[in-house]
Amino acid sequence: MTHSETAGTPQDRIVFFDTTLRDGEQSPGCSMGTPEKIEMAHALDDLGVDILEAGFAISSEGDFQAIRAVSQAVRRPVIASLARTRKLDVERAAHSLDLAERPRIHTFLASSDLHLEVKLKMSRAQALDHATAAVRQARSYVDDVEFSAEDATRSDMEFLAQLVAATIEAGATTINLPDTVGYSTPEDYAQMFREIRSRVPAVANITLSAHCHDDLGMAVANSLASIEGGVRQIECTINGIGERAGNAALEEIAAALMVRRDKYPYPHSLKNDLLFPTSQMLGERISFRPAPNKAVVGSNAFAHEAGIHQHGMLANPLTYEIMTPASVGVPSNSMVLGKHSGRRALGHRLQELGHPLDAARLDEFYHRFVELADRKKAIYDQDLVALATQTTAATSLAQA
Ligand code: KIV
Ligand code: ZN
C-alpha cells in the first residue's frame, strides 16, 4: 500500500476524537461524576484532542448536565453529544450543547441486518428514513453533524453505501463506520473504507472516521489500518477504556504515529508528553489503572528486568526501547524522593503523575510526605498518589 492509494496526502491531519467521557465512561468501573468529567475534559483539552465526546444526553439527567458543564468549561475542542436517531434524542443532544463554543451532534443507527431485525425491528428502508431525518434535524440546530452506522463492519456493503450516501446528502459532515463488536481485521477494515470511497463519491467532501472496539485485541491495529483506507478522524479513549474489552487506546495510536512516522506521516495536534499524565489522571478518577504491561502507559512499559536487556539498555537505550519514556511523559525517576526532598521536586513529580496540587495543598502534602518518609525506607509513586488523594480529601473536607 502506498500513500498515493489512500484518500489524502501526508499533509492531511489526523483528527483525534476522544470518547473517554462517553463510550469509556459507560463501561463498568469507569463512571465519573460531573466534577471528574470537568477535570478530565481540561486534561484532554491540554492534551490537544480535537473533538471531545462529553456524553449521551438523553441517557440520564447526570449525563445531560455533564455535557453542559463540559461545554462551558472547555472552549477549544469541538464538544460532541451523542443521540440515537429519535427526535427527542436529537433535541436533547442539541439542548445539551446550548452553551458550547463548537457543538457537534453525533447521531447513530445500526446498519447491520442483525441489529435492524433483532434489536430495532426496522427494515432497511425505515433505517434510511430514520437516519436521514435525524441528520436533517441535527443540521437544523448545528452545522457540525456526525452520523455513525453502528455495527458497520457486519453490514451489507451495498446497503452501507446507500446509507452513507443518503446521510451525506441529508447534511452529515463526518461519517463514522464503527467496528462496534471488535470483529474486523486490519485488512478488512481498511478495505471497507476503500470500498465506501469508491461507491460513494460524495465521501470526498466529508471526513471519514474510525471507531474500534478491542474484543479481539485489534482495536488499535484496525484504527491504524483505517488511515490507509482514507480515514482522517480516529475515535478512541484514554487507557482504552470502554464497552466490554474497551475502545482503541488513544495513547497507543499517538505513540504509533510518533514511532512509525515513516508509515504514517500525518500531523496531529496531540502533545505526546502529556499522554502519561493524562492516563494517570484518568486512573485516579475511576476505579482502576491500566494493567502494568499496558503499552505506553503501564507501569512496566519502560521497565527492563532481564540482565541481557539491562546490559543492552546501558550500552544504548535504542537496543530495547523504540521511544523514550520522556517522549510520552513518563517520569525518568532519576530523582529519588526522600525526606530531604523539597516541595518543588514533590510538586513536579505529582504533576507528572497526573495529580497536580495547588500551593496550600502542596504544603499540607509536604508535611504528610516528610512524616511518611521518616517511617518508610522507599517511597514509590503509588505512595505519592495515595498521599495526594488523602491530602485533597482532607483539605476539601476542612474547606467544606
Ligand atoms: O461502538 C459503537 O458503535 C458506538 C457508536 C455509538 C458510535 O459507540
Ligand atoms: Zn463504541
Side-chain angles (χ1 to χ4, degrees), residues 320-344:
Y320 287 102
E321 265 178 13
I322 56 170
M323 57 193 153
T324 63
S327 67
V328 292
V330 174
S332 62
N333 280 339
S334 57
M335 216 164 21
V336 178
L337 295 174
K339 61 182 169 187
H340 303 297
S341 304
R343 284 173 178 74
R344 247 179 118 105

Side-chain angles (χ1 to χ4, degrees), residues 51-74:
I51 299 127
L52 200 164
E53 188 162 55
F56 187 1
I58 202 143
S59 68
S60 70
E61 180 62 22
D63 247 38
F64 176 81
Q65 293 300 346
I67 300 167
R68 284 177 76 77
V70 166
S71 301
Q72 267 184 297
V74 173

Side-chain angles (χ1 to χ4, degrees), residues 22-23 82 106 108 148 150-151 176 178 180 211 213 235:
R22 197 279 296 171
D23 218 351
L82 187 71
H106 176 194
F108 73 101
S148 285
E150 192 189 13
D151 206 21
N176 181 40
T180 303
H211 176 116
H213 282 267
E235 304 195 356

Side-chain angles (χ1 to χ4, degrees), residues 8-310:
T9 64
Q11 283 76 45
D12 287 343
R13 284 182 74 238
I14 298 294
V15 169
F16 275 86
F17 177 116
D18 181 274
T19 183
T20 305
L21 302 184
R22 197 279 296 171
D23 218 351
E25 198 262 352
Q26 75 192 39
S27 66
C30 297
S31 68
M32 282 173 260
T34 299
E36 289 82 25
K37 279 194 169 189
I38 291 175
E39 270 185 285
M40 278 312 301
H42 280 300
L44 292 165
D45 182 13
D46 293 344
L47 177 63
V49 304
D50 300 278
I51 299 127
L52 200 164
E53 188 162 55
F56 187 1
I58 202 143
S59 68
S60 70
E61 180 62 22
D63 247 38
F64 176 81
Q65 293 300 346
I67 300 167
R68 284 177 76 77
V70 166
S71 301
Q72 267 184 297
V74 173
R75 311 300 285 171
R76 181 198 54 82
V78 169
I79 305 297
S81 181
L82 187 71
R84 289 167 299 188
T85 51
R86 301 177 185 181
K87 261 201 177 119
L88 266 180
D89 274 49
V90 178
E91 211 173 278
R92 194 83 175 135
H95 190 22
S96 71
L97 294 168
D98 277 348
L99 306 167
E101 182 79 30
R102 301 172 66 200
R104 171 181 296 190
I105 296 178
H106 176 194
T107 184
F108 73 101
L109 184 70
S111 53
S112 67
D113 288 331
L114 180 65
H115 277 231
L116 286 176
E117 283 162 21
V118 176
K119 188 180 75 174
L120 300 172
K121 317 258 183 267
M122 208 183 262
S123 67
R124 288 182 180 182
Q126 285 171 316
L128 281 171
D129 282 351
H130 277 252
T132 49
V135 169
R136 264 189 231 104
Q137 185 194 353
R139 276 302 297 258
S140 74
Y141 303 117
V142 296
D143 290 335
D144 186 346
V145 172
E146 172 168 337
F147 174 74
S148 285
E150 192 189 13
D151 206 21
T153 51
R154 294 191 301 168
S155 301
D156 172 69
M157 180 50 75
E158 201 164 321
F159 176 62
L160 188 62
Q162 239 184 316
L163 185 60
V164 168
T167 46
I168 294 175
E169 166 95 41
T173 46
T174 297
I175 295 288
N176 181 40
L177 300 181
D179 185 25
T180 303
V181 290
Y183 170 78
S184 202
T185 66
E187 294 77 13
D188 290 354
Y189 201 48
Q191 184 54 30
M192 178 187 71
F193 285 103
R194 275 188 217 110
E195 186 82 36
I196 285 293
R197 278 171 42 225
S198 81
R199 287 176 186 240
V200 187
V203 160
N205 308 321
I206 55 97
T207 302
L208 269 183
S209 168
H211 176 116
C212 298
H213 282 267
D214 208 30
D215 301 67
L216 295 177
M218 291 195 279
V220 169
N222 288 342
S223 303
L224 291 169
S226 75
I227 296 174
E228 313 249 23
V231 160
R232 292 296 177 267
Q233 171 179 291
I234 300 202
E235 304 195 356
C236 45
T237 60
I238 301 292
N239 295 345
I241 65 168
E243 283 284 348
R244 307 180 309 281
N247 288 56
L250 177 146
E251 62 279 1
E252 294 179 22
I253 296 167
L257 295 184
M258 170 178 73
V259 173
R260 298 308 307 271
R261 202 166 285 142
D262 57 322
K263 205 168 158 55
Y264 309 106
Y266 304 102
H268 60 78
S269 50
L270 293 187
K271 296 188 185 85
N272 287 338
D273 62 346
L274 290 180
L275 291 171
F276 182 76
T278 314
S279 155
Q280 290 284 304
M281 179 181 260
L282 178 67
E284 266 297 293
R285 302 300 178 271
I286 59 177
S287 14
F288 60 89
R289 289 174 171 275
N293 63 336
K294 164 86 176 57
V296 186
V297 293
S299 54
N300 287 348
F302 294 93
H304 303 274
E305 169 81 26
I308 194 164
H309 286 205
Q310 290 176 342

